[in-house]
Every structure is written in structure tokens, then in C-alpha cells.
Amino acid sequence: DGGITQSPKYLFRKEGQNVTLSCEQNLNHDAMYWYRQDPGQGLRLIYYSQIVNDFQKGDIAEGYSVSREKKESFPLTVTSAQKNPTAFYLCASSTEIQPQHFGDGTRLSIL
Amino acid sequence: QQPVQSPQAVILREGEDAVINCSSSKALYSVHWYRQKHGEAPVFLMILLKGGEQKGHDKISASFNEKKQQSSLYLTASQLSYSGTYFCGTRQIQGAQKLVFGQGTRLTINP
């Protein structure tokens, strides 16, 4: 079955630590996205990528980094510069004509 | 420019109807509707393209008023399973894959 896989489901970060959230898709979608969602809030775009080896900042990119070395993979690193990383992180993918479909999300908390 | 959703929250009894609006101050190419259950990823419902078309499946339908740059989501004879937060995502340009999401409308259906 085609879909988007995010891992881990839950992640804990210590002070000063970088952590990486995984996002893999086998839908052959060109574009991939990372969103952050705080409790009771909407989806805010962190980064997105429309082709391999290229990505653009979204509305809240500070403290985050991404890479897109393969079409199927778009990992997100939450760096120590992100002072308030506790949130629900969602990865999505789409094509130009297909809607965005989301993975099940990763819940990140600070230890 | 983030679209504005109204109302922010709705409480209904099972069987009642609801309308959720999504308005933009910018010209839109498309509006995408999603429903998110608590703790889960958003699930795609439907896309409306400019041209004022109306779409629907089961008892959920939507329209897009190009003159007003507003989309409305209609939930008829609501069921308990309709509970959740509804988000609209908008695209201003054909071919642009980035979506800008509204803040969401929380819908609660009581028996």
C-alpha cells in the first residue's frame, strides 16, 4: 500500500540536542512538506521541497533544517536553536494535481 | 496570506446541519478541505477549483464563490463521526503546490 511513513511516533529531546524526524513516502510524489501544529492550533509550514536537492523555507523555518537527497525521503532536523520544539510534527506529500496527504505525525517533547 | 475560517467552533446535535466558511483577501486558484480528529493526522475531504464548482460526497459538500473568494463546507444531517477540526488550505496560483491553512473550525456533534 502506498503512503507516508513518519517515525518515530513519539520523540523526546534533551536540552542542547538536535533530533531528526523521519518522513518517507512511496507515492512517487514530487513535493514534500513539514508542518508544525501546536495544541488547538492550525498547521504552520516549516519547509517544503518540490524537487530533489531543492527546498524552500516556510513560515517558521528558524531552528529547523531539512534535506532532500532522495525523492522518497524528507527528514526534518529540530536543532538546539529551536527553543520551543514541543509540538506535533506532520509530514505531507503531493503532486501538482493531487492533494496533500499526511503521515501520522511525530509528537516531540522536551525532557 | 492566511485564510480566515468561521465559525471557530460549532456544537451540534446529531442530525443537524452545519456550514463552515473559508475566506481569503487574495484571489484563489483552489481550496482544499481537511478534517482532523484529535491526535490524528488531517484527512483530505475535497478540492474546489476556481470556477465556482460545487462538490460533494455522502452528506458533505462544498462550494467555491470566486467573486467573494470564499469557500463553504456543508455538513448535512451530521453524524457523530463528523466531529473533529476542519481546516481549509488555499492555493493562489495554479501549479503552486504550497498550501496556506486556516486556523480551523472545531465541530462537536453530540448524540
Side-chain angles (χ1 to χ4, degrees):
Chain A
D1 272 342
I4 303 172
T5 302
Q6 287 189 242
S7 61
K9 196 174 175 74
Y10 298 96
L11 187 59
F12 298 91
R13 195 192 88 170
K14 294 180 182 177
E15 290 285 339
Q17 188 182 43
N18 293 353
V19 291
T20 297
L21 284 60
S22 170
C23 178
E24 304 276 332
Q25 55 99 358
N26 60 4
L27 299 167
N28 200 32
H29 286 176
D30 292 313
M32 297 185 74
Y33 313 81
W34 275 106
Y35 294 92
R36 169 179 171 142
Q37 187 175 36
D38 292 287
Q41 302 297 312
L43 303 168
R44 293 189 289 169
L45 184 64
I46 305 173
Y47 270 98
Y48 66 106
S49 167
Q50 299 191 94
I51 55 172
V52 174
N53 291 323
D54 189 42
F55 47 82
Q56 287 78 42
K57 291 182 180 180
D59 301 318
I60 55 165
E62 189 173 344
Y64 300 96
S65 66
V66 293
S67 62
R68 186 87 186 275
E69 296 176 3
K70 299 187 297 181
K71 189 174 184 178
E72 302 78 25
S73 179
F74 192 41
L76 173 75
T77 297
V78 183
T79 74
S80 56
Q82 173 49 246
K83 297 305 178 190
N84 184 21
T86 298
F88 187 42
Y89 290 86
L90 287 158
C91 178
S93 70
S94 72
T95 65
E96 192 172 323
I97 56 173
Q98 292 291 324
Q100 288 187 22
H101 289 280
F102 289 83
D104 289 337
T106 293
R107 208 165 288 279
L108 176 62
S109 303
I110 295 183
L111 278 178
Chain B
Q1 187 91 20
Q2 185 179 36
V4 176
Q5 288 186 233
S6 63
Q8 289 188 323
V10 183
I11 300 175
L12 299 175
R13 288 196 184 277
E14 200 172 3
E16 292 181 336
D17 301 340
V19 180
I20 299 171
N21 297 309
C22 174
S23 298
S24 174
S25 58
K26 303 280 187 184
L28 298 175
Y29 172 71
S30 64
V31 180
H32 305 227
W33 285 99
Y34 291 81
R35 176 172 60 213
Q36 185 179 31
K37 301 270 187 184
H38 183 69
E40 299 179 6
V43 173
F44 170 73
L45 294 175
M46 63 188 79
I47 294 178
L48 285 299
L49 300 178
K50 82 174 188 178
E53 67 176 280
Q54 184 146 353
K55 275 193 161 185
H57 59 84
D58 197 11
K59 293 174 181 170
I60 301 176
S61 62
S63 64
F64 182 15
N65 186 321
E66 199 176 335
K67 268 190 177 179
K68 292 184 179 179
Q69 296 305 322
Q70 177 176 294
S71 179
S72 297
L73 185 71
Y74 306 95
L75 299 104
T76 306
S78 57
Q79 306 167 15
L80 294 176
S81 61
Y82 289 0
S83 290
T85 300
Y86 289 78
F87 292 98
C88 66
T90 57
R91 279 184 183 156
Q92 292 178 7
I93 307 169
Q94 182 179 4
Q97 299 193 45
K98 176 181 154 183
L99 284 178
V100 181
F101 284 92
Q103 282 296 97
T105 296
R106 181 176 294 181
L107 177 64
T108 303
I109 311 292
N110 293 320

